[in-house]
Amino acid sequence: MAQVFFTVTTGSPALLPVLLRTVYAEDPAFRDAATVFTIHNMGYQGLFPPETLPLLMLPWDLFTMSRMEFFGQVNLPEGRAHVLRLCHTVSRKYSQEIQTADTVRA
């Protein structure tokens, strides 16, 4: 079978890697799927109320600061961070910009 590969971006698409590793973890069509995350805009975090988790069929154990919780909200890019193996930005310059102290604090 051919390898399934997804590329996702900031915001709602960031949910896909989390779904692949939780809801679809045992699905033969997606079990070995690979994802790469492209950072387009660090300013858009995709924040949602905690009640969003069950609506997405995601377990509550993901709602921790080390996974998807960000100051009481569900943060989709945070969720992808613990399941991704590869991440890149839209340009070398943007990758340097988002690593500055000012951006990290924001």
Side-chain angles (χ1 to χ4, degrees), residues 50-104:
E51 298 77 25
T52 304
L53 282 178
L55 296 174
L56 298 171
M57 300 180 294
L58 293 173
W60 279 107
D61 65 349
L62 291 177
F63 195 65
T64 65
M65 287 296 284
S66 65
R67 291 184 162 182
M68 295 185 78
E69 197 240 330
F70 183 75
F71 296 99
Q73 299 274 337
V74 172
N75 184 320
L76 298 183
E78 285 296 319
R80 59 86 191 128
H82 80 277
V83 297
L84 282 178
R85 294 187 184 98
L86 181 61
C87 180
H88 67 98
T89 62
V90 293
S91 70
R92 182 180 304 270
K93 183 172 178 4
Y94 192 60
S95 72
Q96 294 164 345
E97 290 172 2
I98 63 174
Q99 293 181 61
T100 66
D102 289 336
T103 305
V104 172

Coordinates of all heavy atoms in Angstrom, one line a residue, residues 50-104:
P50 N -12.7 24.4 26.2 CA -12.5 23.0 26.6 C -13.6 22.0 26.1 O -13.3 20.8 25.7 CB -12.4 22.9 28.1 CG -12.1 24.3 28.5 CD -12.7 25.2 27.4
E51 N -14.8 22.5 26.0 CA -15.9 21.6 25.6 C -15.8 21.1 24.2 O -16.5 20.3 23.7 CB -17.3 22.4 25.8 CG -17.6 22.7 27.2 CD -16.8 24.0 27.7 OE1 -16.4 24.8 26.8 OE2 -16.6 24.1 28.9
T52 N -14.8 21.7 23.5 CA -14.5 21.3 22.1 C -14.0 19.8 22.0 O -14.3 19.1 21.0 CB -13.5 22.2 21.4 OG1 -14.1 23.6 21.6 CG2 -13.3 21.9 20.0
L53 N -13.2 19.4 23.0 CA -12.6 18.1 22.9 C -13.6 17.0 22.7 O -13.4 16.2 21.7 CB -11.8 17.8 24.2 CG -10.4 18.5 24.3 CD1 -9.8 18.1 25.6 CD2 -9.5 18.1 23.2
P54 N -14.7 16.8 23.5 CA -15.6 15.7 23.2 C -16.3 15.9 21.9 O -16.6 14.9 21.2 CB -16.6 15.7 24.4 CG -16.4 17.0 25.1 CD -15.0 17.5 24.7
L55 N -16.5 17.1 21.4 CA -17.1 17.3 20.1 C -16.3 16.7 19.0 O -16.8 16.3 17.9 CB -17.4 18.8 19.9 CG -18.4 19.4 20.8 CD1 -18.5 20.9 20.5 CD2 -19.8 18.8 20.7
L56 N -15.0 16.7 19.2 CA -14.0 16.2 18.2 C -13.6 14.8 18.5 O -12.8 14.2 17.8 CB -12.7 17.1 18.3 CG -12.9 18.5 17.9 CD1 -11.6 19.3 18.2 CD2 -13.3 18.7 16.5
M57 N -14.3 14.1 19.4 CA -14.1 12.7 19.8 C -12.7 12.5 20.4 O -12.1 11.5 20.3 CB -14.3 11.8 18.6 CG -15.7 11.9 18.1 SD -16.0 10.7 16.7 CE -14.9 11.4 15.4
L58 N -12.1 13.6 21.0 CA -10.8 13.5 21.6 C -10.9 13.2 23.1 O -11.8 13.8 23.8 CB -10.0 14.8 21.4 CG -9.7 15.0 19.9 CD1 -9.0 16.4 19.7 CD2 -8.7 13.9 19.4
P59 N -10.0 12.4 23.7 CA -10.1 12.1 25.1 C -9.7 13.3 26.0 O -8.8 14.1 25.6 CB -9.1 11.0 25.3 CG -8.2 11.1 24.1 CD -9.0 11.7 23.0
W60 N -10.2 13.4 27.2 CA -9.9 14.5 28.1 C -8.5 14.5 28.5 O -7.9 15.5 29.0 CB -10.8 14.5 29.3 CG -12.2 15.1 29.0 CD1 -13.4 14.4 28.8 CD2 -12.5 16.5 28.8 NE1 -14.4 15.3 28.6 CE2 -13.8 16.6 28.6 CE3 -11.7 17.6 28.9 CZ2 -14.5 17.8 28.3 CZ3 -12.3 18.8 28.6 CH2 -13.7 18.9 28.4
D61 N -7.8 13.3 28.5 CA -6.4 13.3 28.9 C -5.5 14.1 28.0 O -4.3 14.4 28.4 CB -5.9 11.9 29.1 CG -5.8 11.1 27.8 OD1 -6.4 11.6 26.7 OD2 -5.2 10.0 27.8
L62 N -6.0 14.6 26.9 CA -5.2 15.5 26.1 C -5.2 17.0 26.6 O -4.4 17.8 26.2 CB -5.7 15.6 24.6 CG -5.5 14.3 23.8 CD1 -6.2 14.4 22.4 CD2 -4.1 14.0 23.7
F63 N -6.2 17.2 27.5 CA -6.3 18.6 28.1 C -5.4 18.8 29.2 O -5.8 18.9 30.4 CB -7.8 18.9 28.5 CG -8.1 20.3 28.7 CD1 -8.0 21.2 27.6 CD2 -8.5 20.8 29.9 CE1 -8.3 22.5 27.8 CE2 -8.8 22.1 30.1 CZ -8.7 23.0 29.1
T64 N -4.1 18.9 28.9 CA -3.1 19.2 29.9 C -2.1 20.2 29.3 O -2.1 20.3 28.1 CB -2.2 17.9 30.3 OG1 -1.5 17.4 29.1 CG2 -3.1 16.8 30.8
M65 N -1.4 20.9 30.1 CA -0.4 21.9 29.6 C 0.6 21.3 28.7 O 1.2 21.9 27.9 CB 0.2 22.7 30.8 CG -0.7 23.6 31.5 SD -1.3 25.0 30.4 CE 0.2 26.0 30.3
S66 N 1.0 20.0 28.9 CA 2.0 19.4 28.1 C 1.4 18.9 26.7 O 2.2 18.4 25.9 CB 2.6 18.2 28.8 OG 1.7 17.2 29.1
R67 N 0.1 19.0 26.6 CA -0.5 18.6 25.3 C -1.3 19.7 24.6 O -0.8 20.4 23.9 CB -1.3 17.3 25.6 CG -0.5 16.1 25.9 CD -1.3 14.9 26.0 NE -0.4 13.7 25.9 CZ -0.9 12.5 26.0 NH1 -2.2 12.3 26.1 NH2 -0.1 11.5 25.9
M68 N -2.6 19.8 24.9 CA -3.5 20.7 24.2 C -4.0 21.8 25.0 O -4.7 22.7 24.4 CB -4.6 19.9 23.5 CG -4.2 18.9 22.5 SD -5.6 18.2 21.6 CE -6.0 19.5 20.5
E69 N -3.7 21.9 26.3 CA -4.3 23.0 27.1 C -3.4 24.2 27.0 O -2.2 24.1 27.2 CB -4.5 22.6 28.5 CG -5.4 23.5 29.3 CD -4.8 24.1 30.5 OE1 -3.9 23.5 31.1 OE2 -5.2 25.3 30.8
F70 N -4.0 25.4 26.9 CA -3.2 26.6 26.8 C -4.0 27.7 27.6 O -5.0 28.2 27.1 CB -3.0 27.1 25.4 CG -2.1 28.3 25.2 CD1 -0.8 28.3 25.5 CD2 -2.7 29.5 24.9 CE1 0.0 29.4 25.3 CE2 -2.0 30.7 24.7 CZ -0.6 30.6 25.0
F71 N -3.7 27.9 28.9 CA -4.4 28.8 29.7 C -5.9 28.6 29.7 O -6.7 29.6 29.5 CB -4.1 30.3 29.4 CG -2.6 30.6 29.6 CD1 -1.7 30.6 28.6 CD2 -2.1 30.8 30.9 CE1 -0.4 30.8 28.8 CE2 -0.8 31.1 31.1 CZ 0.1 31.1 30.1
G72 N -6.4 27.4 29.9 CA -7.8 27.1 30.0 C -8.5 26.9 28.7 O -9.7 26.6 28.7
Q73 N -7.8 27.0 27.6 CA -8.4 26.8 26.3 C -7.7 25.6 25.6 O -6.6 25.2 25.9 CB -8.1 28.0 25.4 CG -8.7 29.3 25.9 CD -10.1 29.5 25.5 OE1 -10.6 28.9 24.5 NE2 -10.9 30.2 26.2
V74 N -8.4 25.0 24.6 CA -7.9 24.0 23.8 C -7.1 24.7 22.7 O -7.6 25.6 22.0 CB -8.9 23.1 23.1 CG1 -8.3 22.1 22.1 CG2 -9.7 22.3 24.2
N75 N -5.8 24.3 22.5 CA -4.9 25.0 21.5 C -4.6 23.9 20.5 O -3.8 23.0 20.8 CB -3.7 25.5 22.2 CG -2.8 26.3 21.3 OD1 -2.6 25.9 20.1 ND2 -2.2 27.4 21.7
L76 N -5.1 24.0 19.3 CA -4.9 23.0 18.3 C -3.4 22.8 17.9 O -2.9 21.7 17.8 CB -5.7 23.3 17.0 CG -7.2 23.2 17.3 CD1 -8.0 23.4 15.9 CD2 -7.7 21.9 17.9
P77 N -2.6 23.9 17.6 CA -1.2 23.7 17.4 C -0.4 23.1 18.5 O 0.5 22.3 18.3 CB -0.7 25.1 17.1 CG -1.9 25.9 16.5 CD -3.1 25.3 17.4
E78 N -0.8 23.3 19.7 CA -0.2 22.7 20.9 C -0.4 21.2 20.8 O 0.5 20.4 21.1 CB -0.7 23.2 22.2 CG -0.2 24.5 22.6 CD 1.3 24.6 22.8 OE1 1.9 23.6 23.4 OE2 2.0 25.5 22.3
G79 N -1.6 20.8 20.4 CA -1.9 19.3 20.3 C -1.0 18.6 19.2 O -0.5 17.6 19.5
R80 N -0.8 19.3 18.1 CA 0.0 18.7 17.1 C 1.5 18.6 17.5 O 2.2 17.7 17.1 CB -0.1 19.3 15.8 CG 0.2 20.8 15.6 CD 1.6 21.1 15.4 NE 1.8 22.6 15.6 CZ 2.7 23.1 16.4 NH1 3.5 22.4 17.0 NH2 2.7 24.4 16.5
A81 N 1.9 19.5 18.4 CA 3.3 19.5 18.8 C 3.8 18.2 19.4 O 4.9 17.8 19.3 CB 3.6 20.7 19.8
H82 N 2.9 17.5 20.2 CA 3.4 16.3 20.8 C 3.3 15.0 19.9 O 3.7 14.0 20.4 CB 2.7 16.1 22.2 CG 1.3 15.6 22.1 ND1 0.2 16.3 21.8 CD2 0.8 14.3 22.2 CE1 -0.8 15.6 21.8 NE2 -0.5 14.3 22.1
V83 N 2.7 15.2 18.7 CA 2.6 14.0 17.9 C 3.4 14.2 16.6 O 3.6 13.2 15.9 CB 1.2 13.7 17.5 CG1 0.4 13.3 18.7 CG2 0.5 14.8 16.8
L84 N 3.9 15.3 16.3 CA 4.6 15.6 15.0 C 6.1 15.2 15.1 O 6.7 15.3 16.2 CB 4.5 17.0 14.6 CG 3.3 17.5 14.0 CD1 3.3 19.0 13.7 CD2 3.0 16.7 12.7
R85 N 6.6 14.8 14.0 CA 8.1 14.5 13.9 C 8.8 15.5 13.1 O 10.0 15.7 13.1 CB 8.3 13.1 13.4 CG 7.8 12.1 14.3 CD 8.2 10.7 13.8 NE 7.6 9.7 14.7 CZ 6.5 9.0 14.5 NH1 5.8 9.3 13.4 NH2 6.1 8.2 15.4
L86 N 8.0 16.3 12.2 CA 8.6 17.2 11.3 C 7.8 18.5 11.3 O 6.5 18.4 11.1 CB 8.7 16.6 9.9 CG 9.3 17.5 8.8 CD1 10.8 17.8 9.2 CD2 9.3 16.7 7.5
C87 N 8.4 19.6 11.3 CA 7.8 20.9 11.3 C 8.7 21.9 10.5 O 9.9 21.8 10.6 CB 7.6 21.4 12.7 SG 6.8 23.0 12.8
H88 N 8.0 22.7 9.7 CA 8.8 23.7 9.0 C 8.0 25.0 8.9 O 6.8 25.0 9.2 CB 9.3 23.2 7.6 CG 8.2 22.9 6.6 ND1 7.9 23.9 5.7 CD2 7.4 21.9 6.5 CE1 6.9 23.4 4.9 NE2 6.6 22.2 5.4
T89 N 8.7 26.0 8.4 CA 8.0 27.3 8.2 C 7.9 27.7 6.7 O 8.5 27.0 5.9 CB 8.8 28.5 9.0 OG1 10.1 28.6 8.4 CG2 8.8 28.2 10.5
V90 N 7.2 28.8 6.5 CA 7.0 29.2 5.1 C 8.3 29.7 4.5 O 8.4 29.8 3.2 CB 5.8 30.2 4.9 CG1 4.5 29.5 5.2 CG2 6.0 31.4 5.8
S91 N 9.2 30.1 5.3 CA 10.5 30.7 4.8 C 11.6 30.6 5.9 O 11.3 30.5 7.0 CB 10.3 32.1 4.3 OG 10.2 33.0 5.4
R92 N 12.8 30.6 5.4 CA 13.9 30.6 6.4 C 13.9 31.9 7.3 O 14.1 31.8 8.5 CB 15.3 30.6 5.6 CG 16.5 30.6 6.6 CD 17.8 30.5 5.8 NE 17.8 29.4 4.9 CZ 18.3 28.2 5.1 NH1 18.7 28.0 6.4 NH2 18.4 27.3 4.2
K93 N 13.5 33.0 6.7 CA 13.4 34.3 7.5 C 12.4 34.1 8.6 O 12.6 34.5 9.7 CB 13.1 35.4 6.5 CG 13.1 36.8 7.2 CD 13.0 37.9 6.2 CE 12.9 39.3 6.8 NZ 12.9 39.6 8.1
Y94 N 11.2 33.6 8.2 CA 10.1 33.4 9.2 C 10.6 32.5 10.3 O 10.3 32.7 11.5 CB 8.8 33.0 8.6 CG 7.7 33.1 9.5 CD1 7.3 34.3 10.1 CD2 6.9 31.9 9.9 CE1 6.2 34.4 10.9 CE2 5.9 32.0 10.7 CZ 5.5 33.3 11.3 OH 4.4 33.3 12.1
S95 N 11.3 31.4 10.0 CA 11.8 30.5 11.0 C 12.7 31.2 12.0 O 12.7 30.9 13.2 CB 12.5 29.3 10.4 OG 13.7 29.6 9.8
Q96 N 13.5 32.1 11.5 CA 14.4 32.9 12.4 C 13.6 33.9 13.2 O 13.9 34.1 14.4 CB 15.5 33.6 11.5 CG 16.4 32.7 10.8 CD 17.2 33.3 9.7 OE1 16.9 34.4 9.3 NE2 18.2 32.6 9.3
E97 N 12.6 34.5 12.6 CA 11.8 35.5 13.3 C 11.0 34.9 14.5 O 11.0 35.5 15.6 CB 10.8 36.2 12.4 CG 11.4 37.1 11.4 CD 10.4 37.6 10.3 OE1 9.2 37.2 10.4 OE2 10.8 38.3 9.4
I98 N 10.5 33.7 14.3 CA 9.7 33.1 15.4 C 10.5 32.5 16.5 O 9.9 32.1 17.5 CB 8.6 32.1 14.9 CG1 9.4 30.9 14.2 CG2 7.7 32.8 13.9 CD1 8.4 29.8 13.8
Q99 N 11.8 32.6 16.4 CA 12.7 32.0 17.4 C 13.3 33.1 18.3 O 14.1 32.9 19.2 CB 13.8 31.2 16.8 CG 13.3 29.9 16.1 CD 14.4 29.1 15.6 OE1 15.3 28.7 16.3 NE2 14.4 28.9 14.3
T100 N 12.9 34.4 18.0 CA 13.4 35.5 18.8 C 12.7 35.5 20.2 O 11.6 35.0 20.3 CB 13.2 36.8 18.1 OG1 11.8 37.1 18.0 CG2 13.8 36.9 16.7
A101 N 13.3 36.1 21.1 CA 12.7 36.2 22.5 C 11.3 36.9 22.5 O 10.4 36.5 23.2 CB 13.7 37.0 23.4
D102 N 11.2 38.0 21.7 CA 9.9 38.7 21.6 C 8.8 37.8 21.1 O 7.7 37.8 21.6 CB 10.0 39.9 20.7 CG 10.8 41.0 21.3 OD1 10.9 41.0 22.6 OD2 11.4 41.8 20.6
T103 N 9.0 36.9 20.1 CA 8.0 36.1 19.5 C 7.7 34.9 20.5 O 6.6 34.6 20.7 CB 8.5 35.5 18.2 OG1 8.8 36.6 17.3 CG2 7.4 34.6 17.6
V104 N 8.7 34.4 21.1 CA 8.5 33.3 22.0 C 7.6 33.7 23.2 O 6.8 33.0 23.7 CB 9.9 32.7 22.5 CG1 9.7 31.7 23.6 CG2 10.6 32.1 21.4

